[in-house]
Amino acid sequence: RLHWVEKEGGVFKVEQEGDGLTDAAMEEWGAWMDSQIERRFGSAENTPELTASTLNFSRNDLGDDGVRSVVEYLRQRKIAVQMVKFFKNNIGDVGAWAIGQLLAVAREPVHEVHLSHNRITEQGACSIFEAIARCKRYPYHMDRS
């Protein structure tokens, strides 16, 4: 489920593909994440900047409310995300809008977003594109030196 990538740092992966997660479960996910962070770092002042190299919530039963819960958690705690996977869920246009907000305000640019096999219409896709265009952070060019 949660794997810390670095021995002591704040980079982690969440792999919850196919775990049967619902919107109601995601309301509790933030509290669970907080407990994992506290277990690793103790007090808030000891917690470094956190980065999710992968957040994989694919193949679940997540809808708009579940996505909004995750996005709000990440935004409030200023957790950077490199790759987010929500494919094969039940996400609609409101969830797409929330993902657009994550892309626009995340501490660092998001590298990959996987959203296929959801209920996102043209309107939802446009809300993501509009959020990206407004924030002017993309295209993201990684320094390869």
Side-chain angles (χ1 to χ4, degrees):
R1 291 202 188 250
L2 174 69
H3 171 71
W4 293 98
V5 176
E6 298 174 343
K7 186 174 182 178
E8 295 177 13
V11 179
F12 63 92
K13 291 182 181 184
V14 173
E15 293 287 347
Q16 294 198 264
E17 182 173 343
D19 282 355
L21 297 173
T22 63
D23 289 351
M26 296 315 283
E27 289 179 20
E28 300 171 17
W29 182 83
W32 173 80
M33 265 308 290
D34 283 343
S35 71
Q36 300 304 303
I37 293 166
E38 186 176 331
R39 181 184 306 168
R40 180 165 171 92
F41 299 107
S43 63
E45 51 270 1
N46 291 333
T47 303
E49 285 190 332
L50 298 173
T51 299
S53 62
T54 302
L55 285 179
N56 186 357
F57 295 110
S58 300
R59 301 178 199 273
N60 283 292
D61 193 26
L62 298 178
D64 296 338
D65 290 340
V67 171
R68 287 192 311 195
S69 293
V70 172
V71 168
E72 190 57 31
Y73 177 86
L74 297 168
R75 287 178 63 185
Q76 286 178 353
R77 286 151 185 84
K78 296 179 175 56
I79 297 174
V81 179
Q82 294 174 340
M83 180 188 334
V84 63
K85 295 181 178 183
F86 280 113
F87 63 85
K88 287 194 177 177
N89 276 285
N90 200 24
I91 301 166
D93 293 341
V94 173
W97 179 87
I99 290 166
Q101 297 310 298
L102 174 66
L103 296 173
V105 302
R107 192 181 81 236
E108 298 174 10
V110 178
H111 300 195
E112 294 181 44
V113 180
H114 299 258
L115 294 172
S116 68
H117 299 86
N118 280 288
R119 297 181 308 104
I120 299 170
T121 68
E122 181 180 340
Q123 180 181 358
C126 284
S127 70
I128 293 171
F129 299 140
E130 288 166 359
I132 291 170
R134 275 194 311 274
C135 76
K136 303 197 184 313
R137 300 170 74 178
Y138 301 95
Y140 170 69
H141 298 284
M142 187 182 323
D143 182 15
R144 298 186 189 274
S145 56

